[in-house]
Amino acid sequence: MKLNFDRRERMAFLCAAVVLTLVLALLLYVPSTPRKKYAQSQRDITGLRNELRLTKMLKVEEGQRLQSQQEVIALLEKRAGNFDLFTFVHNIVREMGLQDRAQLDKKAPRNWSAKLPLVQLKLDGVSLEELVDFLHTLYASNNVVAVYKMDRLRPTPNGKGLECDLTFVTVKI
């Protein structure tokens, strides 16, 4: 059976074939390119939102850090201009009645900044209560003094008290 189509019908079939080909091409193209770009844009937006959230959290943390620095700077500015760490620690040792069991030395390792004075205190035969009271008095002064390191904290060989080596540091402005 031979189909004879007139010219108008052939044009209609040809147009239908072109439209069908175009629709099929769009069905293959749309999900592959614009849809992929859309999905990638969504992922980018999610990533940028997470990055923004992280940046905001870091900003808050940095603000808190700066606030705490301002508090320390305010304490340093209140401190006497002629503050000497060695003299300060020596006075507390004397006030606490530990001078006969204490040895105090200025300590400055090589390449150490002069703006960060160190003082080493060796205590021998002190009770734990005396040590805690000493540290409490030191910190309660608000002179921005910190324990830089504790080299030793052990019972004395004779068993009467503790042996302790502390190094204190402060900041000069």
Side-chain angles (χ1 to χ4, degrees):
M1 165 167 184
K2 193 172 185 187
L3 298 173
N4 288 332
F5 296 112
D6 64 3
R7 185 168 193 230
R8 188 173 171 195
E9 290 173 335
R10 273 188 262 159
M11 281 303 267
F13 278 128
L14 183 62
C15 285
V18 168
V19 168
L20 185 62
T21 304
L22 189 61
V23 167
L24 288 174
L26 285 175
L27 285 175
L28 294 174
Y29 173 76
V30 168
S32 66
T33 305
R35 179 78 173 134
K36 282 183 183 177
K37 288 180 181 178
Y38 175 76
Q40 183 60 41
S41 296
Q42 289 295 90
R43 287 190 295 271
D44 291 347
I45 287 172
T46 302
L48 290 172
R49 282 185 181 144
N50 290 337
E51 193 175 318
L52 178 63
R53 193 175 307 119
L54 178 64
T55 303
K56 285 180 180 180
M57 287 182 355
L58 290 174
K59 180 183 176 189
V60 168
E61 288 175 6
E62 184 66 16
Q64 291 170 345
R65 188 185 67 79
L66 288 174
Q67 178 63 32
S68 68
Q69 280 183 352
Q70 292 300 327
E71 293 168 6
V72 171
I73 289 171
L75 287 173
L76 288 171
E77 287 174 349
K78 286 181 188 175
R79 188 167 72 182
N82 61 350
F83 178 80
D84 180 52
L85 181 61
F86 183 86
T87 304
F88 175 69
V89 174
H90 176 70
N91 289 340
I92 293 177
V93 166
R94 204 174 28 150
E95 287 173 18
M96 305 281 305
L98 301 173
Q99 63 269 20
D100 58 331
R101 296 174 281 166
Q103 180 184 355
L104 196 58
D105 297 314
K106 286 188 177 183
K107 185 177 181 181
R110 245 183 275 161
N111 300 327
W112 189 260
S113 173
K115 291 191 177 252
L116 298 170
L118 293 175
V119 170
Q120 185 173 19
L121 174 65
K122 293 181 181 183
L123 297 171
D124 190 29
V126 295
S127 69
L128 184 60
E129 184 178 338
E130 288 175 317
L131 179 61
V132 170
D133 288 344
F134 173 80
L135 291 173
H136 185 273
T137 303
L138 186 94
Y139 283 118
S141 69
N142 288 329
N143 277 313
V144 191
V145 176
V147 173
Y148 176 69
K149 68 180 178 175
M150 180 183 287
D151 290 321
R152 183 176 32 192
L153 178 62
R154 64 182 178 202
T156 57
N158 63 9
K160 296 186 179 188
L162 297 171
E163 227 175 56
C164 183
D165 287 351
L166 296 164
T167 304
F168 299 99
V169 66
T170 190
V171 177
K172 282 189 176 181
I173 54 171

